[in-house]
Amino acid sequence: MGTHITRKAVSAAVATLSILGLAGCGGSATSGTASTITLFDSKVEIVDSLKALAKEYKKEKGVTVEVWGTTGDDYITQLKTKLTNQTTGPNIFMTGGGQEGDTLKSYMADLTNAPFTKYIAKNKAYEVGGKVFGMPAAVEGYGLIVNTGLVSASKVSTQSDFISMLKQAKADGKYTGFELSQESYFLIGHMLNTAFSMQSNPKQFVADVVSGKVKLQNVKEFKELGTIYEAIRANTNNPLQINYDKEIGDLMTGKTASVNQGMWINTMISSDYKDSAAKLQMVPFPLDGNDKLAVGVPLYWHVNGTKSTAEQKASIDFLNWLVTSKTGQDYIVNKFQFIPAMTNIKVDESKMDVLAQAVYKASNSGDNIPWVYQYWPSGIADTYLVGTAQSFFTDKAMTGQQLMTKLSEDFVTAGVKR
Amino acid sequence: MKRKDWYWNLLFVGPTVCIFSLVVLVPFVMGISYSFVSWDGIAANAKRFIGFTNYVSAMSDTRFIRSAVKTFIFTAGAVVLTNALGLIVALLVTSKMKLAGVVRTFYFMPYLIGGLILGYIWKFIFSDGFAIIGNVTGWKFIFFNWLLNPTFALFALIFVSTWQTAGYVMIIYISGIQTIPQDLIEAAEVDGAHGWKLFWHIKFPLIMPAFTISLFMTLSNSFKIFDTNLSLTAGGPSNATELFAMNIYNEIFLNGNYGYGQAKAVLFFIIVAIFTLAQVSITKKREVGL
């Protein structure tokens, strides 16, 4: 008798559990628009504001947006894992476009006919084959950031001026003229990008370097970059000893006159160096007569196209609300502190810091050079270029020309798809 | 076997077998099958069967071979140092030394800190700490930033790994030493064995089982090291400390060559299996029973 009851209880429990499980799977509505969507955010800095924004959206539209944060610099790895499993994949995700976007294109919904697409600034959408698959989240830019209290911007407007400034600073010994830091993009990526983006057709140029048709060491801009790297090694602190925090610290405390950095350093400045007397100005990096800042879209919003139509519609609705509603625009401009890449969002220039202003101007006037590294073979900056740059800074016998030769070989090796 | 026993066996072994197959066997077999395709690791993208091409490319991949050589150097260094140090300290704390308990605890402690965090701690010591010591003492030939020198960066990795695991193998050796019956030691002493002779002819053969375990553990762990490698050197400078596991990680997750990375991982598995099995069979033969 006793066992009988137990068995019944067990089967009842099993039945209940399986019904619950089934109900859980069928949670989303099949028609109209879904009541809950998920968003996987890659930018740690904005995750709290995004969560607050999701609450506002719930209040206004009644749709729950679940915001997932990331832990750090492995967003893409996490995203790939999540997307692979259909149930855990987010409805809205972000990529950097370019190579990174192309590998995940199979998961992106076509946004060509989405209501917000018409507002995307010229050439700023993520497009594949003439169709829009990503909405730009923001515009960012970088260049030579100069502490004008130490060196006036006019003293670094040409390459030869820049190099003689480095030598002069070393001779004076009060501060260094320039600093790089050890992280892959700050050590080599951004500098190399400047030379790439000065080519007439950068995307084709990358393809030619990868195929081995063009060798970097034979291209004028890269030869000059080699010269600059030699000057940096000879006249400034060893960048392998310096990390990003120290680089910005040195800039703000007057230990270095300039760095090759972007408007993103303002996050650190406004929290750690509020009282610094350093007067900053962002000017084009003077490589071989370059007179433009490098401006690009670091992140795009994408809608997961493998989800149900109802969820896709809800995702598009949210993105539309984000860039067209008053609340959404206010968050983008004031809370995220993005420079929007949408023509319908008005920005009050006077509220921006000087670095963002410079980028905003360059972005609006179109007088800028693009970010090309999005088209480089995936992972190359971290697995190849940084190692080669480290050799250059540890092996004093290596010339700038040899650095370019080695970097060119890296592009060929890393470009092999296996 | 009786039917009833069968049920009992299933009850106890079943869950373990289930979990083992799900998290070890199935991924292992899948991993092998992925090594024959060209694929970027994205489920929605096409896999192309290419036979043994990945294995052939791995054989001629100079960077992979170089990382293999570095891994062997690292493993040799780490295994010898870890076991030597672990054994010496185990002998010290089992002799009637004062403060034996304190030494044992302190020596074991690094093992409780994760390899990732240890790497960051030592990164700071090697780069900033060493610079300060070098400036103060003037011994710049040894106190410079080890992590910027390709050879010394590998030494640094061996050093940190030894520092972390020596305490753990010490515990294994201590338990090995404590299983030696006291009367045996006394008998040997009566027969005139002291010091080195006592250790080499009596204690050493009797702690051979502890050797088997410790060597196996340090050997396979050193081959597979990743966390300390990532946080201490991240493979730098100039990829001089990119060991096996990191090379595979970079290939798969950064360069997006999933199939190729899997082929490397299979080769890696075969190498580790050969070495650890050989070691176990050799040391097993040398174990003596009482």
Side-chain angles (χ1 to χ4, degrees), chain B:
Chain B
M1 199 189 286
K2 274 190 289 181
R3 238 178 105 101
K4 212 174 164 193
D5 287 347
W6 239 104
Y7 285 138
W8 279 112
N9 290 354
L10 204 64
L11 182 67
F12 285 112
V13 182
T16 318
V17 169
C18 248
I19 293 169
F20 181 77
S21 348
L22 272 179
V23 303
V24 178
L25 282 184
V26 172
F28 184 72
V29 173
M30 281 170 75
I32 291 178
S33 71
Y34 287 145
S35 69
F36 298 108
V37 298
S38 167
W39 183 38
D40 59 6
I42 310 295
N45 295 354
K47 305 181 187 75
R48 198 162 45 86
F49 181 78
I50 52 166
F52 281 90
T53 314
N54 281 334
Y55 289 93
V56 176
S57 328
M59 295 298 181
S60 57
D61 185 336
T62 47
R63 181 159 168 179
F64 180 60
I65 291 167
R66 202 175 60 156
S67 97
V69 173
K70 299 276 180 182
T71 310
F72 278 107
I73 298 173
F74 167 78
T75 306
V79 167
V80 170
L81 281 181
T82 308
N83 285 285
L85 213 64
L87 182 60
I88 291 170
V89 179
L91 287 169
L92 281 180
V93 298
T94 47
S95 65
K96 283 151 197 109
M97 180 180 131
K98 275 181 193 167
L99 295 174
V102 179
V103 171
R104 207 189 295 195
T105 313
F106 274 102
Y107 209 58
F108 184 70
M109 252 200 243
Y111 190 78
L112 300 174
I113 310 172
L116 210 52
I117 297 168
L118 269 189
Y120 284 120
I121 295 173
W122 280 96
K123 184 180 185 173
F124 171 74
I125 298 177
F126 280 124
S127 47
D128 296 355
F130 270 35
I132 295 169
I133 300 175
N135 280 335
V136 171
T137 59
W139 296 348
K140 289 200 175 158
F141 59 96
I142 183 76
F143 290 113
F144 58 92
N145 189 344
W146 282 23
L147 304 179
L148 294 187
N149 178 312
T151 318
F152 277 83
L154 194 63
F155 290 162
L157 208 54
I158 294 175
F159 182 88
V160 174
S161 164
T162 304
W163 193 70
Q164 182 190 14
T165 40
Y168 191 76
V169 300
M170 169 197 73
I171 299 287
I172 299 176
Y173 286 125
I174 288 175
S175 64
I177 293 167
Q178 282 170 344
T179 54
I180 304 173
Q182 203 52 43
D183 48 353
L184 204 75
I185 305 278
E186 276 168 22
E189 278 174 342
V190 170
D191 286 344
H194 289 287
W196 174 250
K197 267 192 179 158
L198 181 69
F199 169 72
W200 187 244
H201 293 289
I202 308 295
K203 284 186 181 172
F204 189 71
L206 287 171
I207 55 171
M208 218 48 204
F211 259 101
T212 310
I213 300 169
S214 301
L215 280 179
F216 173 78
M217 215 193 70
T218 46
L219 199 61
S220 77
N221 283 352
S222 302
F223 268 125
K224 295 186 296 192
I225 188 165
F226 179 75
D227 47 3
T228 316
N229 193 185
L230 183 72
S231 56
L232 188 68
T233 66
S238 320
N239 304 320
T241 59
E242 185 188 65
L243 302 183
F244 256 142
M246 178 169 275
N247 182 284
I248 292 167
Y249 175 87
N250 286 345
E251 192 66 64
I252 292 181
F253 292 106
L254 292 176
N255 295 338
N257 298 321
Y258 197 98
Y260 184 47
Q262 274 297 346
K264 286 180 178 181
V266 172
L267 289 175
F268 175 43
F269 164 77
I270 294 171
I271 292 170
V272 177
I274 289 174
F275 273 85
T276 46
L277 288 178
Q279 173 262 316
V280 169
S281 77
I282 291 169
T283 45
K284 271 266 177 209
K285 269 186 205 140
R286 298 206 46 188
E287 283 178 18
V288 289
L290 275 174

Side-chain angles (χ1 to χ4, degrees), chain A residues 185-377:
Chain A
Y185 279 96
F186 301 153
L187 184 65
I188 183 79
H190 286 155
M191 297 283 281
L192 198 59
N193 175 68
T194 310
F196 267 96
S197 57
M198 287 166 73
Q199 308 304 318
S200 55
N201 183 352
K203 211 175 160 180
Q204 184 57 40
F205 183 79
V206 175
D208 288 344
V209 174
V210 168
S211 70
K213 210 166 94 190
V214 172
K215 303 241 184 285
L216 295 183
Q217 66 271 26
N218 301 331
V219 181
K220 188 162 163 282
E221 287 83 0
F222 291 89
K223 281 184 189 164
E224 297 299 336
L225 186 63
T227 315
I228 289 188
Y229 262 88
E230 283 174 8
I232 292 172
R233 186 176 61 187
N235 298 301
T236 74
N237 302 329
N238 183 352
L240 306 184
Q241 307 259 33
I242 296 168
N243 61 19
Y244 173 60
D245 292 9
K246 178 155 165 42
E247 183 190 16
I248 304 307
D250 284 355
L251 177 71
M252 300 313 289
T253 54
K255 284 182 191 146
T256 183
S258 64
V259 295
N260 187 46
Q261 281 290 358
M263 48 182 275
W264 49 80
I265 71 168
N266 195 51
T267 322
M268 192 184 290
I269 295 174
S270 57
S271 66
D272 298 349
Y273 300 100
K274 265 182 258 167
D275 309 324
S276 165
K279 278 204 170 52
L280 303 183
Q281 189 181 344
M282 195 195 289
V283 296
F285 191 83
L287 165 68
D288 193 31
N290 172 44
D291 55 0
K292 298 183 176 81
L293 296 179
V295 175
V297 176
L299 282 173
Y300 297 89
W301 297 104
H302 305 285
V303 169
N304 190 338
T306 62
K307 297 278 187 172
S308 71
T309 16
E311 286 183 36
Q312 288 185 40
K313 183 166 183 311
S315 312
I316 292 175
D317 286 348
F318 174 73
L319 289 183
N320 192 44
W321 180 82
L322 174 70
V323 295
T324 55
S325 76
K326 217 164 160 258
T327 323
Q329 294 189 348
D330 174 58
Y331 266 79
I332 292 180
V333 177
N334 298 320
K335 299 276 170 36
F336 303 168
Q337 300 201 324
F338 281 174
I339 297 180
M342 309 294 284
T343 52
N344 64 325
I345 303 180
K346 297 279 163 286
V347 189
D348 185 358
E349 222 180 299
S350 62
K351 277 190 188 161
M352 289 183 185
D353 61 278
V354 281
L355 304 177
Q357 265 175 20
V359 173
Y360 182 66
K361 278 193 191 120
S363 170
N364 275 2
S365 66
D367 203 17
N368 55 56
I369 48 176
W371 289 7
V372 185
Y373 45 70
Q374 287 157 333
Y375 300 105
W376 290 354

Side-chain angles (χ1 to χ4, degrees), chain A residues 49-60 63 65 321:
Chain A
S49 318
L50 255 180
K51 281 180 180 158
L53 180 69
K55 267 187 203 138
E56 303 257 8
Y57 190 60
K58 172 90 184 165
K59 235 187 282 165
E60 280 189 32
V63 175
V65 179
W321 180 82

